[in-house]
Amino acid sequence: MLSTLWWRNRPLRTRLSLLLIALLSSVLAATGTVTFTALRSSLYQELDRRLTSTTSGITDADSAGLEIMGDGSSGAKWIRIGDDLYVAVLSGDERPSGPGPRYPDASPPADTPVTVPADTAADDATFRLATSRLADGRTAVAAVGTAATEAAVQRVILVVVAVELLAVVVLAVLSILVVRRSLRPLERAARTADRVADGDFAMRLVDSVAPGTEVGRLADALNRMLDQIHAALAARDASQERLRQFVADASHELRTPLQSIRGYGELYQQGALPDTQAVDDAIARMLAEVHRMTHLVQSLLMLARFDEEDESDLEPIDLSRVVTESCHDAAAVEPARPWTVTVTPDVTVRGDEAQLRGAVANLLANVRMHTPTDAPCSVELSVRGERAVLRVEDEGPGIPAEALPHVLDRFYRADKSRSRARGGSGLGLSIVAAIAELHSGTVRVESPPGEGTLVEVSLPARRQASPGQVGC
């Protein structure tokens, strides 16, 4: 348990280095063992061939009728030839005497070499011994010492072990360097993650690792994740900022009518209204402020509902009819304004009729509120490709260039003094933008200097028909 816990608590580079070193050591140890075994077997096979050759020579000489080391009357003795070869010829149950190998108690099978110790207990040498049957019934014995062979094996063992130890050290150092270099991007990724956890969301991984590798894919995935986190946090901050601004603007818009109502109420309570006419005027002003505040609250509720609704409640709507009827209503309110209305018939969109009417009404009310009564206004509904395009263009004073990017913001008015003499609450175009977004549409506002204002609303159209002309 402790060893497993220790292993799991080690860094990845340490575990990989240890595993590589252990693997290399195991491979080298197995290679050395196989090498030792094969070398020793080869050397002993060479000894056995030497013994077999010697006994075969004795057998051949006996077959040729040559006298082989006497008739054995004086007893069998080991005859030493060279440094390590011993031969003898035995009759019956004889055993060779003299310094040399110890003949086994049971004679080994002919031409089958065996390993035997030295004849004296003080000598720890070993010998390979082989026998061969002669034609006259005697036994030819040959033995050769294994000291030189074992010494050669020991020398090879020392050399191989030394080389393997050196190889293990070199490979271990190389493995550690390679593992550290390979895992360096992971270490940088860990440091980047730590800095991100500390709040630095601008950190990114810049690495030369090929994107097709595991580390490269990890770096790319981490960068993309950080981009998404950064974008989500930026969107959250922007949303919170918009919410704070929205609350501040709503409070500002509601505070004025409430203060007016409170002022008139306090005047009445203190008896500062001298007659019935003054009371009626105060009540009328209070009701006007109540109506304006009611309209503002309804607009806010409408925007809130737009944020919650989805496209599942939409149905096919004849947008041509909605635009035509809204233009007739606007002409009835301002009969002196020059209106030009061009509506393509039978333009159908998928939407909510009440909301679409509200959007068109807000566009026309925006013209009525911000332009002189004699300023011409043109309304055009057409189909472009698969989009229904509504254009409302006036020839009024236009919108200042610095205010143009903000006209779709809620509660925004180009009048920095926030005067309500010529403007509403600043929700008209924002309601139009919210309705268009709910209907998968877009809103575009243009106001070239001195050329009036153009508001273009684009919605997905269900079918296209031929254009027509409608007048108000």
Side-chain angles (χ1 to χ4, degrees):
M1 178 64 73
L2 291 178
S3 60
T4 302
L5 183 61
W6 178 88
W7 177 258
R8 290 179 177 177
N9 290 333
R10 295 305 94 193
L12 180 60
R13 61 176 181 270
T14 301
R15 287 188 284 174
L16 287 178
S17 300
L18 292 177
L19 286 175
L20 284 176
I21 294 172
L23 178 61
L24 292 172
S25 300
S26 301
V27 171
L28 291 176
T31 303
T33 302
V34 172
T35 301
F36 303 152
T37 303
L39 176 63
R40 195 170 188 274
S41 176
S42 176
L43 292 177
Y44 271 87
Q45 287 177 1
E46 184 62 29
L47 285 180
D48 293 343
R49 282 194 295 270
R50 182 180 176 189
L51 290 175
T52 304
S53 176
T54 300
T55 55
S56 297
I58 297 175
T59 302
D60 293 341
D62 178 67
S63 299
L66 299 178
E67 179 65 27
I68 304 300
M69 300 164 61
D71 57 2
S73 59
S74 59
K77 293 184 179 180
W78 286 115
I79 297 176
R80 185 172 182 176
I81 302 174
D83 293 334
D84 57 353
L85 179 61
Y86 295 84
V87 295
V89 177
L90 307 178
S91 299
D93 294 332
E94 285 184 326
R95 300 173 63 85
S97 61
R102 178 185 301 174
Y103 192 78
D105 295 335
S107 295
D111 299 325
T112 303
V114 295
T115 301
V116 296
D119 189 47
T120 59
D123 193 351
D124 58 355
T126 58
F127 299 84
R128 292 289 287 176
L129 183 144
T131 63
S132 178
R133 183 69 62 180
L134 301 181
D136 58 2
R138 291 183 299 170
T139 301
V141 183
V144 64
T146 61
T149 300
E150 292 293 336
V153 172
Q154 293 298 324
R155 286 194 299 272
V156 173
I157 290 176
L158 292 177
V159 172
V160 172
V161 169
V163 172
E164 288 187 353
L165 289 177
L166 179 61
V168 168
V169 173
V170 173
L171 291 175
V173 173
L174 292 178
S175 299
I176 293 174
L177 293 178
V178 170
V179 169
R180 282 183 175 272
R181 183 178 181 83
S182 300
L183 296 183
R184 195 171 298 162
L186 291 181
E187 295 179 359
R188 285 195 286 269
R191 290 196 296 268
T192 300
D194 291 336
R195 295 187 62 176
V196 171
D198 293 336
D200 187 1
F201 296 103
M203 288 295 301
R204 295 296 183 273
L205 282 174
V206 180
D207 210 320
S208 59
V209 179
T213 63
E214 290 80 0
V215 177
R217 293 203 304 271
L218 174 62
D220 181 65
L222 183 58
N223 284 336
R224 287 189 283 108
M225 181 188 69
L226 292 176
D227 289 338
Q228 293 177 359
I229 292 176
H230 191 268
L233 291 176
R236 184 200 65 180
D237 294 340
S239 176
Q240 291 178 347
E241 180 61 27
R242 287 196 301 269
L243 178 61
R244 285 193 293 267
Q245 186 64 39
F246 181 81
V247 172
D249 292 338
S251 300
H252 181 85
E253 295 293 336
L254 291 173
R255 181 178 59 186
T256 300
L258 288 175
Q259 287 178 342
S260 178
I261 294 172
R262 178 181 176 183
Y264 284 114
E266 289 178 350
L267 287 176
Y268 176 78
Q269 188 178 36
Q270 295 171 3
L273 300 177
D275 51 26
T276 304
Q277 183 62 38
V279 174
D280 292 341
D281 291 341
I283 294 299
R285 292 297 305 144
M286 292 172 65
L287 288 176
E289 294 296 337
V290 168
H291 288 315
R292 194 164 70 84
M293 187 166 56
T294 301
H295 177 71
L296 176 62
V297 172
Q298 289 176 345
S299 299
L300 293 176
L301 290 176
M302 185 183 301
L303 288 172
R305 286 197 300 270
F306 292 161
D307 292 337
E308 295 177 357
E309 291 181 357
D310 54 33
E311 297 184 0
S312 60
D313 299 328
L314 305 182
E315 58 185 5
I317 300 297
D318 185 357
L319 186 59
S320 301
R321 178 176 56 83
V322 171
V323 173
T324 301
E325 293 176 356
S326 298
C327 289
H328 282 298
D329 295 340
V333 174
E334 287 186 320
R337 183 184 298 274
W339 293 93
T340 302
V341 180
T342 306
V343 176
T344 300
D346 299 326
V347 177
T348 305
V349 298
R350 188 168 178 269
D352 183 282
E353 182 171 348
Q355 294 176 4
L356 292 175
R357 285 185 180 276
V360 178
N362 272 284
L363 291 176
L364 299 178
N366 195 62
V367 173
R368 183 172 64 251
M369 190 172 298
H370 297 288
T371 63
T373 57
D374 58 349
C377 176
S378 65
V379 180
E380 178 186 356
L381 176 64
S382 60
V383 178
R384 299 177 186 174
E386 298 182 353
R387 309 286 293 184
V389 180
L390 173 63
R391 294 166 57 91
V392 178
E393 186 173 8
D394 63 63
E395 297 182 13
I399 302 173
E402 66 276 6
L404 195 59
H406 306 286
V407 293
L408 299 181
D409 296 343
R410 298 175 181 180
F411 292 109
Y412 183 82
R413 284 192 299 270
D415 184 4
K416 297 302 181 182
S417 66
R418 301 186 66 87
S419 171
R420 292 160 181 79
R422 296 184 56 205
S425 61
L427 293 176
L429 288 180
S430 61
I431 291 176
V432 173
I435 294 174
E437 182 179 0
L438 182 62
H439 290 74
S440 302
T442 58
V443 177
R444 183 171 64 90
V445 181
E446 292 182 0
S447 184
E451 298 184 13
T453 302
L454 167 65
V455 181
E456 181 180 281
V457 180
S458 175
L459 302 173
R462 294 181 61 84
R463 75 184 186 89
Q464 183 175 357
S466 58
Q469 180 90 7
V470 178
C472 289

